[in-house]
């Protein structure tokens, strides 16, 4: 029970105390932003029981009275898009680092408006009789899956003192006066969501082997040539994929992909399907905000690469909604005779937060891939052999040089909103960057 007051768990309630302290704070923007640290003043109110006994587990509340800065005139922060975590230090008769965490709850914060952060709560079990003081320490603000870390730049005064008495009938020892079960707040960002992203082998497609899609297991032997037997549709096998994204993208994405082809004259119309629900939206995103593209690497007797593109999300997304990338399409024109292989390559996600805003390009280098489809092909004039087609930024076998490079090239100037940066509590958060919590890959649509 919060209500701005601490509670004593398992025993009768005792009078609570609340005290406000302020301290100079340095907030470090995300490294990818290229911004200098920001200094400001943090004001917080700590509420805790005035008295307790050894063995009691108490709950304390950290209320932000004033964040280190206002939201600048860059963007509107959506409702329920900002989450605080932090550390409250216990000292005196008992020493502990108390992990504090607040819910991802905030009103919509307008441009230039005051930052509104939710109250954080934490628990600690009291182990030693005496005065235990509580002092605010470092805290982290998470918005759009990007962490801003804020640390005190001066000695912070104690905000509350709990008078702890020995339990009746027992003696008090100082053994075990460390933090006991308290932990840091490390897992409060997105740890539980990203924990299980290994691809295992679950996406290898089981029975969707390529036996019938290559020349190996079909009745005519050369059925993938698209010529003699009239075959026009070629189904690829599902292959596991992994991507390393350039900041502010996620460090790793584990997914799967399938490349299918339909013969169109001497060329092939490609459709690339990826796993469903590989990411969650951390905040409301409008329809049309996310647009994927991928480089397809051509190998075997042919070589080069081509680009496939998918549609933007059709519907608006709420916080926590699963997100699936739309099917990506493109055309493969063979540049050589023989057997050509097609493999998923680098992935790019372009994020546009609002109408008229500059797009934010997140390139993701393919670190794990495999051949999804093999075709018997005939050379076509202007084919792909040894070249890159459809404006892709990488050549055969290369990766992650596509689509405009880093965020410094999004077209913004200094304080402009088009730089895709917003200040939160005296820090910068990257908008539209690592905006997703990536989950273990799901089945391919």
């Amino acid at each position: 029970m919060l209500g701005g007051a601490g509670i004593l768990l398992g025993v009768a309630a005792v009078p609570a105390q609340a005290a406000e302290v302020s301290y100079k704070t340095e907030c470090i923007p995300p490294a990818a932003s290229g911004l200098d640290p920001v200094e400001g003043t943090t004001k917080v109110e700590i509420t805790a029981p005035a008295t307790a006994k050894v063995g009691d587990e108490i709950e304390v509340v950290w209320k932000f009275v004033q964040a280190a800065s206002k939201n600048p005139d860059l963007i509107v922060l959506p409702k329920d898009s900002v989450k605080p975590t932090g550390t409250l230090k216990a000292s005196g008769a008992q020493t502990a680092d108390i992990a504090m965490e607040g819910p991802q709850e905030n009103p919509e914060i307008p441009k230039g408006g005051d930052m509104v952060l939710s109250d954080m709560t934490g628990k600690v079990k009291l182990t030693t009789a005496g005065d235990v003081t509580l002092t605010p320490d470092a805290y982290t603000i998470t918005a759009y899956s990007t962490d801003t870390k804020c640390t005190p730049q001066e000695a912070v005064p104690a905000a509350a003192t709990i008078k702890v008495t020995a339990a009746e009938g027992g003696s008090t020892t100082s053994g075990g006066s460390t933090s006991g079960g308290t932990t840091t707040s490390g897992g409060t960002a997105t740890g539980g969501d990203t924990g299980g992203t290994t691809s295992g082998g679950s996406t290898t497609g089981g029975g969707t082997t390529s036996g019938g899609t290559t020349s190996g297991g079909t009745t005519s032997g050369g059925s993938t040539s698209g010529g003699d037997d009239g075959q026009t549709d070629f189904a690829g096998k599902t292959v596991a994929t992994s991507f390393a994204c350039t900041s502010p993208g996620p460090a790793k994405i584990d997914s799967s992909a399938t490349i299918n082809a339909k013969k169109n004259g001497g060329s092939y119309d490609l459709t690339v399907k990826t796993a469903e629900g590989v990411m969650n939206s951390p905040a409301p995103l409008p329809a049309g905000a996310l647009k994927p593209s991928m480089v397809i690497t051509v190998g075997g007797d042919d070589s080069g690469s081509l680009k496939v593109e998918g549609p933007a999300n059709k519907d608006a997304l709420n916080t926590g909604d699963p997100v699936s990338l739309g099917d990506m399409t493109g055309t493969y024109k063979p540049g050589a005779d023989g057997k050509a292989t097609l493999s998923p390559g680098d992935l790019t996600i372009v994020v546009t937060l609002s109408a008229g805003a500059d797009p934010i390009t997140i390139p993701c280098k393919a670190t794990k891939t495999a051949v999804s489809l093999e075709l018997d092909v005939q050379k076509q004039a202007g084919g792909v052999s040894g070249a890159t087609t459809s404006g892709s930024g990488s050549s055969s076998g290369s990766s992650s040089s596509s689509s405009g490079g880093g965020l410094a090239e999004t077209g913004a100037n200094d304080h402009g909103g088009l730089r895709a940066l917003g200040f939160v509590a005296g820090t910068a958060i990257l908008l539209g960057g690592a905006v997703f919590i990536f989950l273990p890959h799901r089945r391919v649509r």
Side-chain angles (χ1 to χ4, degrees):
M1 183 174 181
L2 306 182
I7 62 172
L8 192 61
L9 303 182
V11 296
V14 296
Q17 54 178 332
E20 179 181 314
V21 295
S22 63
Y23 53 96
K24 294 180 181 178
T25 308
E26 181 182 62
C27 295
I28 307 297
S33 70
L35 296 179
D36 293 330
V38 177
E39 293 191 356
T41 300
T42 300
K43 294 182 180 180
V44 301
E45 181 182 276
I46 303 299
T47 302
T51 61
K53 294 181 179 180
V54 171
D56 290 342
E57 184 179 54
I58 62 166
E59 183 174 79
V60 293
V61 178
W62 171 322
K63 180 182 179 64
F64 285 94
V65 177
Q66 175 183 296
S69 75
K70 293 185 176 182
N71 186 30
D73 296 324
L74 298 178
I75 59 160
V76 175
L77 288 174
K79 182 178 184 294
D80 298 339
S81 63
V82 181
K83 177 183 178 68
T85 56
T87 301
L88 184 68
K89 287 191 171 294
S91 59
Q94 178 178 342
T95 301
D97 287 344
I98 306 172
M100 307 294 292
E101 178 180 354
Q104 187 170 307
E105 295 177 357
N106 59 275
E108 181 180 277
I109 303 175
K111 297 177 182 180
D114 291 334
M115 287 300 304
V116 181
L117 302 176
S118 63
D119 293 352
M120 301 192 297
T121 60
K123 297 176 183 178
V124 63
K125 186 172 183 178
L126 301 174
T127 60
T128 309
D131 288 349
V132 176
T133 59
L134 303 176
T135 305
D137 196 51
Y139 60 93
T140 298
I141 300 170
T142 301
Y144 290 96
S145 299
T146 304
D147 290 340
T148 295
K149 298 184 181 297
C150 301
T151 55
Q153 297 301 295
E154 62 180 346
V156 182
T161 300
I162 306 171
K163 293 187 176 298
V164 182
T165 57
E168 293 182 3
S171 60
T172 301
T173 63
S174 60
S177 62
T178 60
S179 61
T182 61
T183 61
T184 62
S185 59
T188 61
T190 56
D193 290 322
T194 60
T197 59
T198 57
S199 62
S202 59
T203 62
T204 56
T208 60
T209 60
S210 60
T213 64
T214 66
S215 61
T218 59
T219 57
S220 62
S223 63
T224 58
S225 66
D228 295 340
D229 66 351
Q231 182 180 356
T232 59
D233 295 322
F234 305 90
K237 70 177 180 180
T238 300
V239 296
T241 57
S242 294
F243 302 93
C245 298
T246 299
S247 182
K252 184 179 182 183
I253 304 173
D254 288 318
S255 185
S256 62
T258 307
I259 303 174
N260 299 320
K262 183 178 183 65
K263 190 169 175 53
N264 184 0
S267 300
Y268 296 84
D269 295 331
L270 303 183
T271 300
V272 180
K273 296 178 178 291
T274 57
E276 288 185 331
V278 296
M279 55 186 105
N280 284 347
S281 177
L285 292 174
L290 313 173
K291 184 176 177 63
S293 63
M294 180 181 283
V295 172
I296 301 302
T297 301
V298 181
D301 293 325
D302 201 357
S303 64
S305 62
L306 60 104
K307 186 178 181 180
V308 293
E309 296 181 297
N313 57 301
K314 179 180 178 181
D315 300 318
L317 300 169
N318 295 317
T319 301
D321 284 352
V323 181
S324 300
L325 301 180
D327 291 350
M328 292 172 277
T329 59
T331 301
Y332 165 49
K333 181 181 288 189
D337 294 327
K339 294 186 182 296
T341 60
L342 302 177
S343 305
D346 297 346
L347 173 69
T348 299
I349 301 174
V350 176
V351 181
T352 305
L353 293 176
S354 61
D358 275 12
I360 303 164
T361 300
I362 307 173
C364 300
K365 178 183 175 68
T367 57
K368 178 181 180 181
T369 187
V371 173
S372 176
L373 181 61
E374 184 179 80
L375 297 169
D376 286 344
V377 299
Q378 295 178 340
K379 181 177 179 179
Q380 304 294 310
V384 75
S385 184
T388 296
T389 64
S390 300
S392 169
S394 70
S395 60
S396 175
S398 69
S399 50
S400 120
S401 59
S402 60
S403 302
L407 285 179
E409 299 176 7
T410 56
N413 294 315
D414 297 326
H415 301 292
L418 300 183
R419 195 177 179 191
L421 296 173
F423 290 95
V424 175
T427 72
I429 64 169
L430 295 172
L431 304 181
V435 296
F436 306 111
I437 302 168
F438 288 84
L439 303 174
H441 50 264
R442 311 280 179 83
R443 62 179 178 85
V444 173
R445 292 168 286 115

